[in-house]
């Protein structure tokens, strides 16, 4: 099924945090068009909680102590196919590495199949990854909690700590700036 972008006039009217486009605007300028400038929204810590054995918090120093991964050259493309930014590389940690430290709490051994993670930004923008994506597909290799771009720390205008899914066709749709929270959930079992 082809992806059809929204008309740009609708995207401009979207409430803050309601779409990837508005999320990008809110974290780069900090305000809506026509509003006074505000400080950028940033994150200095990511909390992993929900269906985990141990709630865990990672600040920048804790993230940097974990095994790192570099993306290599990456074009960040939005829904319309427009290139939003190009980076020589992002540096970060696999999302699955943070989940491994917190350890999923599963009532039954096969409940991993119902597990999913919501990644939420400081402005409320939220994206989702299933357990299967993170641990059973190439998407998991490229789902990174990032803290550097092109050899420089992510600045306040880029959210401080972020999340990027490098294997997505439209990388910008699951890019989270100012990542604050990773919450693990279990989907309700089917009553069939």
């Amino acid at each position: 099924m082809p992806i059809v972008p929204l008309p740009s006039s609708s995207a401009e009217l979207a409430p803050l945090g309601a779409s990837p486009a508005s999320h990008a605007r809110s974290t780069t300028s900090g305000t809506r068009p026509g509003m006074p400038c505000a400080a950028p929204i940033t994150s200095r810590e990511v909390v992993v909680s929900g269906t985990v054995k141990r709630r865990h918090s990672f600040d920048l120093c804790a993230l940097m102590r974990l095994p790192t991964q570099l993306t290599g050259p990456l074009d960040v493309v939005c829904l319309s196919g427009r290139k939003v930014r190009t980076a020589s590389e992002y540096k970060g940690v696999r999302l699955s590495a943070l989940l491994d430290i917190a350890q999923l709490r599963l009532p039954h051994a096969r409940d991993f199949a119902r597990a999913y993670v919501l990644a939420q930004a400081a402005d409320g923008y939220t994206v989702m990854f299933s357990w299967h994506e993170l641990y059973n597909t190439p998407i998991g290799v490229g789902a990174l909690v990032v803290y550097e771009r092109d050899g420089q720390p992510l600045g306040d205008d880029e959210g401080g700590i972020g999340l990027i899914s490098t294997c997505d066709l439209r990388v910008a749709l699951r890019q989270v700036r100012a990542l604050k929270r990773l919450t693990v959930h279990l989907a309700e079992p089917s009553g069939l």
Side-chain angles (χ1 to χ4, degrees):
M1 180 167 94
I3 298 173
V4 180
L6 294 172
S8 61
S9 60
S10 296
E12 291 297 319
L13 298 174
L16 207 57
S19 71
S22 64
H23 171 65
R25 280 195 310 276
S26 72
T27 54
T28 55
S29 68
T31 64
R32 292 183 185 152
M35 299 288 289
C37 289
I41 299 170
T42 60
S43 171
R44 302 285 178 236
E45 169 183 70
V46 179
V47 175
V48 181
S49 62
T51 309
V52 293
K53 291 182 180 176
R54 183 171 161 243
R55 181 181 185 275
H56 204 88
S57 179
F58 298 89
D59 63 9
L60 187 57
C61 290
L63 290 172
M64 293 174 88
R65 283 193 297 266
L66 297 172
T68 60
Q69 186 166 323
L70 301 174
T71 64
L74 181 68
D75 291 333
V76 179
V77 177
C78 68
L79 181 63
S80 69
R82 183 178 59 87
K83 192 183 306 180
V84 176
R85 129 184 1 90
T86 298
S88 297
E89 68 182 14
Y90 279 91
K91 182 178 185 178
V93 178
R94 282 189 189 176
L95 171 56
S96 58
L98 303 186
L99 299 176
D100 291 345
I101 291 169
Q103 299 180 337
L104 272 62
R105 184 174 34 84
L106 303 172
H108 301 96
R110 297 189 71 159
D111 283 344
F112 67 86
R114 299 189 297 121
Y116 63 96
V117 179
L118 296 179
Q120 187 174 37
D123 68 358
Y125 183 71
T126 304
V127 300
M128 184 185 82
F129 291 88
S130 71
W131 180 93
H132 281 287
E133 282 182 295
L134 294 173
Y135 289 94
N136 198 27
T137 73
I139 297 235
V141 175
L144 304 177
V145 174
V146 293
Y147 48 83
E148 284 184 16
R149 180 171 63 89
D150 296 336
Q152 298 296 314
L154 293 179
D156 288 350
D157 61 329
E158 293 185 274
I161 297 173
L163 182 140
I164 195 160
S165 183
T166 64
C167 294
D168 286 357
L169 297 176
R170 305 281 196 257
V171 172
L173 298 181
R174 280 204 286 195
Q175 181 178 17
V176 178
R177 293 180 182 207
L179 178 66
K180 292 295 273 185
R181 189 172 301 115
L182 297 168
T183 310
V184 180
H185 298 273
L186 290 179
E188 291 298 320
S190 168
L192 299 177

